[in-house]
Amino acid sequence: LGVVLGHAAGCSAGAWSRGSSAGEGAWTLRLTSSSGAFLCLSLPGGSAATDAADVLGVDMDMDSAGDDGWCEVPSARGDDWMALELLAVRSAGGHLAGPSRQRGLWLFAGRAFVRAIGPSVQPLEKLPKGSKAVDLATSGATIAGEAVLGVVDAPGRLRMLCRSGAPKAHGEMLIDDAADGREAGGKVELRRSAGTVVHRLPGGVEHYWRILAQSGTDPFGKLAVSR
């Protein structure tokens, strides 16, 4: 999966897609939030990309494309959206990696979500104005990165459609309130007073996210415990 994440001025919340020349069935998904955060995820084609397009209702024929070549994703329409930015990652051994070493965005738009974590090539604020983006696919750094494309089946139930480095992840749950964090991708805790979300993975790693913006239904559902 190819990923570009960053911030840009003048964004409106939503999700758009367009075809790609990378191969048959290849396409790119772009999620943006009103806070300016954006994520572009390029899928190289194949059955997983085709299945993901079917679930999200992506127009693979691009019949509804605008002048810029992008089509709105039907499943991402509506008032439900959320944008989170990675603050830090704590390893199972207690080591803390902040934004100087790792960057991440987690965007929701309607039923669609994309989460990407990877090495910080350089602090975003030091990039030229208007080009605040990190390309996780070409950074060449050694810090492990990950990208996930998924769908919100219901609040508290996040299902993966594609996951980098895990070709068999299609259909598996990233977060499942029925599993209570034991068998799926961990537990989520919302610290509303601090405006943060803590995602505790089964192996002991903790991801700390800052909520940039939110509207409508909380995608984390009853897994989120307010403080």
Side-chain angles (χ1 to χ4, degrees), residues 140-201:
T142 57
I143 298 176
E146 179 192 62
V148 176
L149 166 64
V151 63
V152 181
D153 286 335
R157 292 179 55 83
L158 311 185
R159 177 164 52 94
M160 292 184 287
L161 301 177
C162 294
R163 186 174 193 168
S164 58
K168 296 182 180 181
H170 176 75
E172 294 182 357
M173 302 303 294
L174 176 66
I175 295 174
D176 187 357
D177 58 3
D180 195 28
R182 294 185 299 270
E183 299 174 0
K187 295 187 65 175
V188 168
E189 177 187 353
L190 172 63
R191 298 178 177 177
R192 188 172 298 279
S193 61
T196 58
V197 169
V198 180
H199 182 197
R200 295 185 176 90
L201 282 65

Side-chain angles (χ1 to χ4, degrees), residues 23 49 61 65 86 96 131 140 160 163 175 202 223:
D61 296 325
L86 187 68
L96 195 67
S131 63
M160 292 184 287
R163 186 174 193 168
I175 295 174
L223 285 175

Side-chain angles (χ1 to χ4, degrees), residues 3 28 40 126 212:
V3 180
T28 297
C40 286
K126 293 185 179 180
L212 299 175

